[in-house]
Amino acid sequence: MKYIIFLLFSISAVLMADHKVQHINKELSHINLSEEQSNAAKEILFEFRTQLKEFKKFKDETELKKKDLFLKDYLSIHDIETLDKSVDIMAREIEKNFLTKMHSLLSIDQRISFVKYIDDWEVK
């Protein structure tokens, strides 16, 4: 019984530690922003999150359109590719906008810290 409790405790500690690292990276606390940078970053992050919500809605609507296309008698691959491209274009635009603004906000040392976790900011 002691071993099971120890095993469960160990697993939960590892899972909680992993969650904390992910949470810290998304909040940018690991790059030591000044107060002015922090305020600007909050605005950038608010805009980024707002755009992500819009993107999710757009992506969900696009998926419904793809399902409708699939249910038709004739499957138009061109129409499906067009829908997929529109999702990709929107994702890249959101990502470019965010990275451009963050780049102009951060010092070179902060960029070095930021780039270690750049994959976390990819729009999917």
Side-chain angles (χ1 to χ4, degrees), residues 26 48 92 95 118-124:
K26 283 291 189 179
F48 181 68
R92 295 308 127 229
E95 193 173 317
I118 201 163
D119 290 344
D120 293 343
W121 300 98
E122 184 175 336
V123 178
K124 299 176 186 176

Side-chain angles (χ1 to χ4, degrees), residues 41-119:
K42 285 178 186 177
E43 291 178 22
I44 294 169
L45 289 173
F46 178 78
E47 179 183 355
F48 181 68
R49 288 183 182 125
T50 302
Q51 289 176 339
L52 285 180
K53 287 178 186 177
E54 293 171 6
F55 174 72
K56 183 179 177 347
K57 183 179 177 183
F58 177 75
K59 188 175 178 183
D60 290 346
E61 290 170 357
T62 303
E63 288 299 316
L64 289 175
K65 289 177 185 176
K66 284 172 60 174
K67 289 177 183 178
D68 288 342
L69 286 173
F70 187 79
L71 294 174
K72 291 186 176 186
D73 290 337
Y74 173 77
L75 179 63
S76 173
I77 296 300
H78 174 72
D79 290 344
I80 290 177
E81 287 175 344
T82 302
L83 290 173
D84 287 341
K85 285 179 186 178
S86 65
V87 170
D88 290 341
I89 289 169
M90 187 174 192
R92 295 308 127 229
E93 286 300 315
I94 293 169
E95 193 173 317
K96 286 189 303 186
N97 182 38
F98 173 73
L99 292 176
T100 300
K101 289 180 179 185
M102 289 304 296
H103 182 271
S104 65
L105 178 67
L106 303 176
S107 69
I108 186 65
D109 292 334
Q110 291 169 326
R111 286 185 214 141
I112 291 169
S113 296
F114 180 85
V115 80
K116 291 176 186 175
Y117 304 103
I118 201 163
D119 290 344

